[in-house]
Amino acid sequence: MLFPTISFAFFFFFVLIAYWALRENRRKQKLLLLAASYLYYGLFDPRFLILLTLSIFFSFAIGKIISQHPEKQIRKKWAMIGVTVNVLFLAVFKYYDFFRSSLEDFLLLLGLESHLPVLSIVLPLGISFYTFQNIAYLVDLYKEKSGPAKNLVDYMLYISFFPQLILGPILRPKEFLVQLEENSPQRIPELSKAITLIFSGYIKKVFIASYLSIFIVEDAFTAPENFSSFELLIASYAYSIQVFCDFSGYIDMGRGFALLLGFRIPDNFNNPYAATNIGDFWRRWHITFSSWLRDYIYFPMGGSRTSKLRTYFNLFITFLLGGLWHGAHWKFVIWGALHGMALSTYKISIDVRRSFGFNASKERKRPIWYKLGGWFLTFHFCVLARIFFNSPDVDSALVYFGQMWQFSAVKQGVHPLVFGLIAAGLSLNFIGNWVQSGFISIHDKISWYFRPLAWAAIAMLLIALHPGSMAPFIYAQF
């Protein structure tokens, strides 16, 4: 029951009506949202609720100890225990079989055997996202960057809030718990923005991401040997646009649904394909994830406050782990390592230029050709690195690269709509905020009496143009 479905529309409609009917009683509102969140998550698989609840109860209890103990060293010890257990939860359910099979392969190279048990574990949806939120809560409590949740219900809702539970964004305690402590607004805040975000996300996901997947991406990455070099190059562009529209589309819809419930959750994207260097890209792409890596891995390792060599190492390891976070597979490790090397190389280039008197603050004053060159290199690095990300495995990715550089004649042909969809998706990266602002302005001018008719007309048009099948959300697997 993911967002762009009829079943979710009915589910959310009834939750929305009941929620605002209880606006005079904040506690009942929160209990309703908690029940709705558990129902939403449990419909995917009731077993997922067990792990979710255990992680919530454990982290809330540890947080209680951290917030109430006066001695810093004791608080640090309990924070470390809480973080370690949360990481172990994630490691067992997401990475055990990956580490087991990797160890077996390594031992075979040494002529040894391993007899570790095989565990058939179903990966719980959203476990990476809510584990990171648990860790953020415990660390921020220890560092006194945020206060504790007022009660268990608030904390359960912070972790399980359904508009962001499955695919994020990764919420920080100070971003969401504070909102739960406030009185309920008497009406929907920023209705026009909420409606705009929902329609925007739907269009990105259903009409750009899904059609790109259907027309070229799925087939090209599944069997690259059946496609020419030109077709594979177009497919690599198509996938980068698909993953942007797929993920940012989900975030748009989630933010819109949250706004309809009176909550503001952060955006995860800021025109990422406008980045002119790899550091700029990671300040724009999956923002809550990259900032989490910075604050809870990179900084604790020493960040850039250590020697230059250690700084480069810290960057590399941070994004190597960031790649592993995406999935228990070597293809994600390689993808993370590539970005770690790119960020380290970029940092080296900054340090070298500074040694020659270059001032990094003058970057914006560089000539247009310099910025275009930086954009071209950054964009294509991200496109090519994603071939590892989307291929079934490392061997398939190598086949893809090998086939792409053979410059063979056209084999399958490219559907004409693919070029238009790539252009549309890339355009939304640059002017999407402007388009949304224009829609909000138009929506604000429509009379309250006619707004439901406008919503119905747009919804019917979108349903009529809906593809026969819709590709699953890419980040749902993480």
Side-chain angles (χ1 to χ4, degrees):
M1 194 171 64
L2 289 172
F3 289 167
T5 59
I6 296 296
S7 57
F8 179 82
F10 280 109
F11 165 80
F12 185 78
F13 176 76
F14 288 113
V15 170
L16 185 67
I17 296 299
Y19 178 82
W20 286 106
L22 297 171
R23 60 181 174 273
E24 300 301 331
N25 191 318
R26 187 59 164 165
R27 179 167 177 76
K28 289 183 179 179
Q29 276 190 322
K30 289 189 282 190
L31 288 171
L32 170 71
L33 282 184
L34 181 59
S37 297
Y38 262 62
L39 174 62
Y40 174 76
Y41 193 55
L43 286 174
F44 290 102
D45 191 327
R47 294 173 296 175
F48 295 166
L49 293 174
I50 299 172
L51 183 61
L52 175 67
T53 304
L54 285 174
S55 71
I56 288 174
F57 282 13
F58 172 79
S59 297
F60 180 74
I62 297 294
K64 275 284 189 184
I65 298 173
I66 295 171
S67 63
Q68 294 175 356
H69 208 286
E71 294 185 29
K72 184 174 182 179
Q73 287 303 315
I74 301 298
R75 296 204 312 272
K76 181 178 181 180
K77 181 187 76 172
W78 281 105
M80 291 177 65
I81 291 172
V83 170
T84 301
V85 172
N86 271 286
V87 171
L88 286 174
F89 266 126
L90 186 61
V92 169
F93 282 89
K94 190 169 183 177
Y95 300 109
Y96 173 81
D97 284 331
F98 170 68
F99 289 135
R100 179 194 55 77
S101 62
S102 298
L103 178 60
E104 286 182 349
D105 292 342
F106 176 71
L107 291 175
L108 282 175
L109 290 176
L110 301 178
L112 302 173
E113 292 186 4
S114 171
H115 300 286
L116 291 172
V118 177
L119 301 180
S120 299
I121 300 175
V122 177
L123 178 64
L125 280 173
I127 186 173
S128 299
F129 290 95
Y130 68 71
T131 299
F132 273 25
Q133 289 189 192
N134 279 321
I135 292 173
Y137 177 72
L138 297 174
V139 173
D140 285 3
L141 272 183
Y142 160 67
K143 293 185 175 181
E144 298 181 337
K145 291 184 176 180
S146 67
K150 296 298 182 183
N151 51 63
L152 179 58
V153 170
D154 281 13
Y155 189 72
M156 293 180 75
L157 192 51
Y158 158 63
I159 297 297
S160 65
F161 186 51
F162 72 87
Q164 59 81 224
L165 173 61
I166 305 298
L167 278 79
I170 301 167
L171 296 179
R172 303 290 182 93
K174 60 184 179 183
E175 292 172 332
F176 195 74
L177 288 175
V178 173
Q179 296 185 65
L180 292 176
E181 295 166 9
E182 298 171 348
N183 292 327
S184 174
Q186 293 303 298
R187 60 188 182 121
I188 297 174
E190 301 182 89
L191 175 64
S192 295
K193 183 176 181 179
I195 297 299
T196 298
L197 286 169
I198 292 169
F199 281 136
S200 167
Y202 188 92
I203 290 169
K204 284 181 182 178
K205 167 58 185 172
V206 175
F207 296 106
I208 299 180
S210 288
Y211 273 118
L212 284 174
S213 176
I214 294 168
F215 285 148
I216 191 169
V217 171
E218 184 176 354
D219 291 341
F221 277 85
T222 300
E225 64 277 5
N226 296 332
F227 290 80
S228 69
S229 55
F230 173 75
E231 292 158 349
L232 291 178
L233 179 63
I234 297 302
S236 66
Y237 290 138
Y239 179 68
S240 282
I241 299 303
Q242 178 194 346
V243 72
F244 166 66
C245 290
D246 186 282
F247 197 12
S248 69
Y250 179 94
I251 298 299
D252 282 354
M253 285 186 280
R255 292 175 67 211
F257 294 130
L259 263 181
L260 289 178
L261 295 168
F263 294 94
R264 293 175 175 84
I265 59 177
D267 195 1
N268 230 6
F269 297 89
N270 179 23
N271 307 328
Y273 292 146
T276 55
N277 59 66
I278 193 64
D280 187 28
F281 174 80
W282 278 107
R283 287 187 290 271
R284 296 166 175 268
W285 177 272
H286 204 342
I287 298 168
T288 59
F289 171 67
S290 57
S291 63
W292 194 99
L293 292 178
R294 178 197 65 203
D295 293 344
Y296 301 104
I297 297 180
Y298 179 66
F299 285 166
M301 290 175 64
S304 57
R305 299 185 303 275
T306 57
S307 67
K308 290 183 178 179
L309 285 177
R310 179 60 185 272
T311 297
Y312 308 146
F313 175 78
N314 291 345
L315 278 170
F316 177 77
I317 292 298
T318 297
F319 275 85
L320 184 70
L321 293 174
L324 186 60
W325 173 86
H326 284 81
H329 204 292
W330 282 109
K331 65 177 187 174
F332 294 120
V333 175
I334 293 173
W335 175 83
L338 289 172
H339 277 273
M341 287 188 290
L343 284 160
S344 300
T345 302
Y346 174 65
K347 184 67 171 68
I348 291 171
S349 73
I350 291 177
D351 291 340
V352 170
R353 284 179 286 169
R354 280 176 177 166
S355 68
F356 286 98
F358 171 78
N359 187 350
S361 64
K362 295 181 179 179
E363 185 79 21
R364 295 179 180 177
K365 299 180 181 179
R366 292 284 171 180
I368 187 66
W369 62 264
Y370 179 90
K371 293 181 180 180
L372 285 174
W375 171 83
F376 183 86
L377 290 174
T378 302
F379 178 71
H380 283 86
F381 170 80
C382 294
V383 167
L384 295 176
R386 283 209 181 94
I387 291 175
F388 282 104
F389 191 94
N390 192 45
S391 294
D393 49 48
V394 175
D395 290 340
S396 298
L398 295 177
V399 170
Y400 195 109
F401 277 109
Q403 187 74 11
M404 190 165 62
W405 301 123
Q406 285 186 2
F407 302 103
S408 54
V410 173
K411 294 183 178 181
Q412 302 285 339
V414 178
H415 195 290
L417 274 178
V418 168
F419 299 101
L421 292 170
I422 291 174
L426 193 58
S427 297
L428 285 177
N429 171 82
F430 290 97
I431 64 170
N433 293 337
W434 177 80
V435 172
Q436 286 184 359
S437 296
F439 192 91
I440 291 171
S441 178
I442 294 171
H443 187 273
D444 283 338
K445 295 175 182 177
I446 300 175
S447 168
W448 276 91
Y449 299 103
F450 294 104
R451 284 181 183 179
L453 293 176
W455 301 339
I458 295 174
M460 290 177 65
L461 177 63
L462 294 179
I463 291 172
L465 297 174
H466 194 289
S469 62
M470 187 177 66
F473 281 99
I474 294 170
Y475 269 70
Q477 62 183 301
F478 308 138

